[in-house]
Amino acid sequence: MTDTRPLGADEATFLAAVCSGDTARFALITERHRRELQVHCYRMLANYEDAQDLTQETFLRAWKKRESFRGHAALRTWLYRIATNACLDFLEKRNDRTPVPSELPDPGSEVLYLQPYPDRMLPEDPQESVVARETIELAFIVAVQHLPPRQRAVFILRDVLGWPAAKAADALELTVASVTSALQRARVTMREQLPDRRLDWRSPATHELSNDERGVVKSYIDAHERNDLDGLMSLLRDDLRFAMLPEPGTSVITAKDAVDGWVSGGLFQRGHDDWRCITTTVNRMPAAVLYLRTPDDPEYRLFAIAVLHIVDGKIAELTGFDATDKPWLDLPPTL
């Protein structure tokens, strides 16, 4: 695999580390790429813990294959190639890493292994395509999971990272014609999965939350803490899409039915009516972290995280995740 570029300082330093067998220098150089490689693995796998494991596997494979690096490609390109193929190997062995049919009347499906990605773990000085908001939001990550693994890899390398067809073909050991065909099929699927979303990921991307989003998440937290069911209802669209992962059963319901369902499930009733919440962002989306204090407990304990997709001042999608036993979210266990 070759890039039309001279040997850079990163590559020269890496080659020196390879020749000397300097493991410390090798680790220092490759570590610079950890965060963006982890985002890449997350897009491939939709699961933060798997992405962590596969990023580490990438570095192990890079060390084992270090002598194959000759500096003909950028070090970053070489590492992406290893990471992509590590993810493909993982997916080949796991039959539980594909969407499953949903209970909705339309022919939809659910990604039960989906996990949120904490914004604090995104690259600090990223290339725009690496963490453009449109390519890290939950809906995009879910849509990508509907692509067969190799199509998924082609789509991410070509349309998200902007690699030329020849470079992607070399990384995946495919012909340029095969890559072009796979990309065309992947784009069709993505348009079907994201019919109302932006599909041009090469144009200038957004990163920050809007004032509208900040206002809605604040109102959601205020209503939650006050057990204001009418207030909650007023924030939800009447075609709300709701899921509580990893439990199956994504539903599209009215605002009233959503709130009634939460109440009938025990929320906002005695023992589940003393809430405190904090705001955060995951997948560059606004989120509310919910803490519950039960009777006779002096502390509010971490309960769940509600990730919100907000459209025109209303919550259009609410994806809940169990927030316990997930230290990588870096959330305080109690308030």
Side-chain angles (χ1 to χ4, degrees):
M1 176 170 34
T2 58
D3 291 344
T4 54
R5 57 185 297 284
L7 186 67
D10 227 21
E11 289 72 32
T13 304
F14 185 81
L15 283 171
V18 168
C19 292
S20 64
D22 188 338
T23 57
R25 185 186 295 182
F26 175 94
L28 182 64
I29 297 168
T30 53
E31 185 65 25
R32 298 171 191 164
H33 301 274
R34 178 181 292 275
R35 289 194 175 191
E36 64 174 297
L37 290 171
Q38 189 163 292
V39 170
H40 179 60
C41 292
Y42 176 73
R43 284 198 183 99
M44 288 287 295
L45 306 174
N47 184 281
Y48 184 86
E49 291 165 317
D50 290 341
Q52 280 186 311
D53 292 343
L54 268 294
T55 303
Q56 195 58 38
E57 172 66 15
T58 296
F59 291 148
L60 291 173
R61 291 189 183 194
W63 175 252
K64 291 176 182 176
K65 298 178 179 180
R66 62 192 182 279
E67 293 182 356
S68 68
F69 183 78
R70 294 287 183 269
H72 301 307
L75 175 59
R76 179 175 180 267
T77 299
W78 186 69
L79 291 172
Y80 265 94
R81 174 177 184 160
I82 295 172
T84 303
N85 284 286
C87 289
L88 289 173
D89 290 345
F90 173 87
L91 291 169
E92 186 178 351
K93 296 173 184 176
R94 297 287 294 269
N95 58 11
D96 63 339
R97 285 299 183 265
T98 54
V100 299
S102 74
E103 299 176 2
L104 296 176
D106 61 69
S109 54
E110 300 175 301
V111 179
L112 301 182
Y113 52 91
L114 176 69
Q115 291 181 334
Y117 199 102
D119 282 13
R120 67 181 182 83
M121 293 304 298
L122 294 171
E124 294 176 355
D125 185 22
Q127 295 192 13
E128 185 171 291
S129 62
V130 175
V131 288
R133 182 175 178 184
E134 289 79 359
T135 65
I136 198 69
E137 286 186 330
L138 292 179
F140 181 91
I141 298 299
V142 167
V144 169
Q145 300 305 298
H146 288 80
L147 302 175
R150 204 157 291 274
Q151 269 189 42
R152 194 182 307 176
V154 168
F155 174 78
I156 292 170
L157 293 177
R158 292 281 285 116
D159 270 13
V160 177
L161 297 180
W163 285 23
K167 185 174 174 182
D170 196 8
L172 297 171
E173 298 182 348
L174 298 172
T175 65
V176 171
S178 295
V179 163
T180 301
S181 176
L183 180 59
Q184 290 172 345
R185 295 196 301 274
R187 285 172 174 169
V188 170
T189 301
M190 292 297 288
R191 290 189 186 100
E192 292 172 349
Q193 294 296 322
L194 294 169
D196 300 321
R197 301 293 185 89
R198 165 180 160 168
L199 297 174
D200 178 12
W201 298 288
R202 302 269 185 106
S203 61
T206 58
H207 293 280
E208 302 300 325
L209 299 184
S210 67
N211 290 333
D212 194 32
E213 288 173 310
R214 292 190 183 93
V216 171
V217 73
K218 182 180 184 301
S219 296
Y220 175 86
I221 284 176
D222 289 344
H224 218 287
E225 291 185 340
R226 290 186 288 106
N227 288 279
D228 179 1
L229 303 185
D230 289 337
L232 275 177
M233 202 179 306
S234 71
L235 295 169
L236 307 176
R237 277 179 45 154
D238 254 358
D239 57 349
L240 173 72
R241 190 176 184 95
F242 170 71
M244 184 67 201
L245 296 175
E247 298 298 321
T250 298
S251 56
V252 177
I253 48 180
T254 67
K256 183 178 186 308
D257 286 344
V259 174
D260 287 349
W262 296 336
V263 172
S264 65
L267 298 184
F268 306 108
Q269 298 192 38
R270 179 166 174 76
H272 286 81
D273 60 350
D274 192 357
W275 301 95
R276 289 293 178 270
C277 309
I278 60 175
T279 60
T280 189
T281 54
V282 296
N283 296 74
R284 294 202 183 279
M285 301 175 70
V289 186
L290 312 180
Y291 289 80
L292 175 67
R293 186 173 69 177
T294 55
D296 303 320
D297 190 338
E299 295 183 302
Y300 292 88
R301 299 191 181 277
L302 184 59
F303 183 76
I305 180 170
V307 186
L308 311 177
H309 174 57
I310 296 166
V311 178
D312 298 330
K314 294 274 192 175
I315 298 170
E317 298 173 17
L318 194 161
T319 307
F321 297 92
D322 179 0
T324 59
D325 300 321
K326 294 179 177 61
W328 41 269
L329 284 173
D330 198 29
L331 298 171
T334 60
L335 292 181

